[in-house]
Amino acid sequence: MTTIKHGDVILFRNGDVFRGQLDCAVVPLFGASYSPVTTLGTYGSSASGPAVISGSLLVPASAWKVYNASVYVANLTAAVGRRLMSIDSLSLFWNGERLVLARWPNVNGSLLSSPAQFAMAVGTASPILVSSQLPAVSASYYNGGNVVFRNNDNGYLRAAINPNSFGSGAMSLSASVPSRTFGFYVEGVRALLDAPGEWFYDSDAQLLYMWPPGSVAASAGTVEVSVFGYGINFATLMNQTVVDGLRFEQQSMAGINLAASQNVTVRNCTFRNQAQYGFNASSLRDSLLVSNRFDAIAGSAVYINSANNNAVRGNQFTNIGIYDGQGIYGTVSRAVGINNGANNVVTGNSMANLGCTAVFSGADGTMIERNTITSAVQTVSSSAAIHLGSNSGRHSVADNVVSGVLGNVRSWSLDVLVFGIFLDQNVYTTVVSGNRVSIVVGNAVRLSGVSNVQLRDNVIDTTSNHLFFRDLLTSAVNVSGNNF
């Protein structure tokens, strides 16, 4: 743990890569105002690129040996100098792009450019997965593997395969599957490593296997394995802190993690290839995320639990939650997720190519304004580009441009039901105005048991239902000046 004082300045040289995790605590200023600003930033010429805080270690080219005609193997403990105990927390990267953990059915391309392929199973509402598409193999073939499956219309689960349980197109899992037809894939079995861009780690033997993209030699690219959970892991009370101009890459948890802090500014930073979150915070207030870039994050880009008087402004979000079944299991990914609290602002952000919701707020008094959202909700079949959570109110959703909310049924056989703007159960005293919503498979604006809502001066240009009042519980809705 690095202990710093309020007012300290920590600078990372531009162009350098810092591999590891900075655990940072501050000496509290009891009885004093938090006027000194603590800064974590960069120095040196920006022409050499930003300072990078990486959650990965390099696997040197010399560590690889030929395993067979296409696959290479390396002793990972010897290669990176530490023993990694579990395949579940690892990610592997080739020239900065995420590779695919060995799986069936194959992806048929890179994770970022190709949607996942799914097999289909019948619903049993039990821990037994049954699918006629499973190849006929031995009872132990899938030992050590996991099944990733759609457990509902907007989420995925990951369940371990019980040893020696496969037979006659069925296997036993550590969790129950749905009661209806659903999609799934199997991952984490060495025998499934059968395509370029796939990898597998045998934690008992400490051996890493990889089929390089393009079937080139393992030494032809830069290979990195995620090791560290966080880029900067702040302790509590990191008040009056500025993080400026850093690039966070390949953390297994989050680029920045902090709690119980106020007056924090994160600006001009890049977050890329985190497995769960780009920026993760709890009990955050009076803070600002501005002019950052979030890209290729498997889970949520920004998640704040218990958020008060914060602003997420002028950031760029691309390729968030886009990997089918990857990221944060058992919950829903969002580009920006705000849960609980009050009086937060999400404004002027650009969001494109999202597998998930662009903006979710379950906090009261959220202003969601002037955001541009393109191609959202691509990996689930029921969600919305902008989602106001149930039992929240006093929101303003204004002057946003939402285009292309398409959903998918690759792994869930129900019809797609996705929305441009969704006001969930018991949302109250909210204004939705001046938005332009187009190309939405479901409803452009959907209301579900809301009250005291104004819908005014919106432009709706879509091929599906324009406006939908879900039930008779919806009351006191004023609709005026809209262009349908």
Side-chain angles (χ1 to χ4, degrees), residues 78-146:
V80 302
R82 61 175 62 200
R83 181 165 186 174
L84 306 179
M85 300 304 297
S86 171
I87 193 173
D88 293 337
S89 62
L90 299 184
S91 297
L92 197 69
F93 300 90
W94 172 271
N95 292 337
E97 300 301 324
R98 188 182 300 272
L99 296 185
V100 182
L101 180 60
R103 59 178 287 168
W104 176 89
N106 290 331
V107 170
N108 296 331
S110 73
L111 273 172
L112 195 56
S113 64
S114 301
Q117 305 298 310
F118 288 85
M120 300 304 291
V122 299
T124 64
S126 75
I128 305 299
L129 184 149
V130 179
S131 174
S132 61
Q133 295 177 267
L134 283 165
V137 292
S138 68
S140 61
Y141 184 86
Y142 295 111
N143 285 3
N146 296 290

Side-chain angles (χ1 to χ4, degrees), residues 116-234:
Q117 305 298 310
F118 288 85
M120 300 304 291
V122 299
T124 64
S126 75
I128 305 299
L129 184 149
V130 179
S131 174
S132 61
Q133 295 177 267
L134 283 165
V137 292
S138 68
S140 61
Y141 184 86
Y142 295 111
N143 285 3
N146 296 290
V147 170
V148 177
F149 61 90
R150 282 286 289 273
N151 64 316
N152 55 47
D153 55 8
N154 63 5
Y156 297 82
L157 279 182
R158 187 187 202 191
I161 300 170
N162 293 325
N164 305 312
S165 68
F166 179 74
S168 302
M171 62 176 67
S172 172
L173 306 179
S174 62
S176 292
V177 302
S179 59
R180 50 174 308 284
T181 302
F182 63 96
F184 74 96
Y185 57 85
V186 183
E187 67 176 11
V189 177
R190 194 179 78 181
L192 301 179
L193 204 171
D194 59 358
E198 291 190 342
W199 66 279
F200 174 79
Y201 177 55
D202 184 336
S203 57
D204 292 332
Q206 305 166 55
L207 296 177
L208 176 65
Y209 298 84
M210 178 185 65
W211 187 330
S215 299
V216 300
S219 59
T222 299
V223 181
E224 299 165 287
V225 58
S226 62
V227 173
F228 303 101
Y230 303 103
I232 300 179
N233 185 30
F234 287 116

Side-chain angles (χ1 to χ4, degrees), residues 215-291:
S215 299
V216 300
S219 59
T222 299
V223 181
E224 299 165 287
V225 58
S226 62
V227 173
F228 303 101
Y230 303 103
I232 300 179
N233 185 30
F234 287 116
T236 59
L237 301 177
M238 290 300 302
N239 305 320
Q240 293 288 91
T241 297
V242 174
V243 182
D244 188 4
L246 294 169
R247 182 181 178 98
F248 298 88
E249 291 187 348
Q250 301 173 5
Q251 286 79 25
S252 62
M253 294 292 291
I256 292 179
N257 183 63
L258 78 161
S261 298
Q262 63 187 36
N263 296 310
V264 174
T265 297
V266 179
R267 64 193 183 206
N268 305 315
C269 292
T270 296
F271 299 80
R272 192 170 194 274
N273 271 326
Q274 283 75 33
Q276 295 196 13
Y277 304 98
F279 175 88
N280 182 53
S282 61
S283 299
L284 183 69
R285 63 184 307 117
D286 302 318
S287 295
L288 173 65
L289 277 69
V290 60
S291 301

Side-chain angles (χ1 to χ4, degrees), residues 383-405:
S383 192
I386 297 174
H387 182 180
L388 300 181
S390 58
N391 302 306
S392 66
R394 298 183 290 104
H395 305 288
S396 172
V397 180
D399 303 316
N400 301 284
V401 178
V402 178
S403 177
V405 186

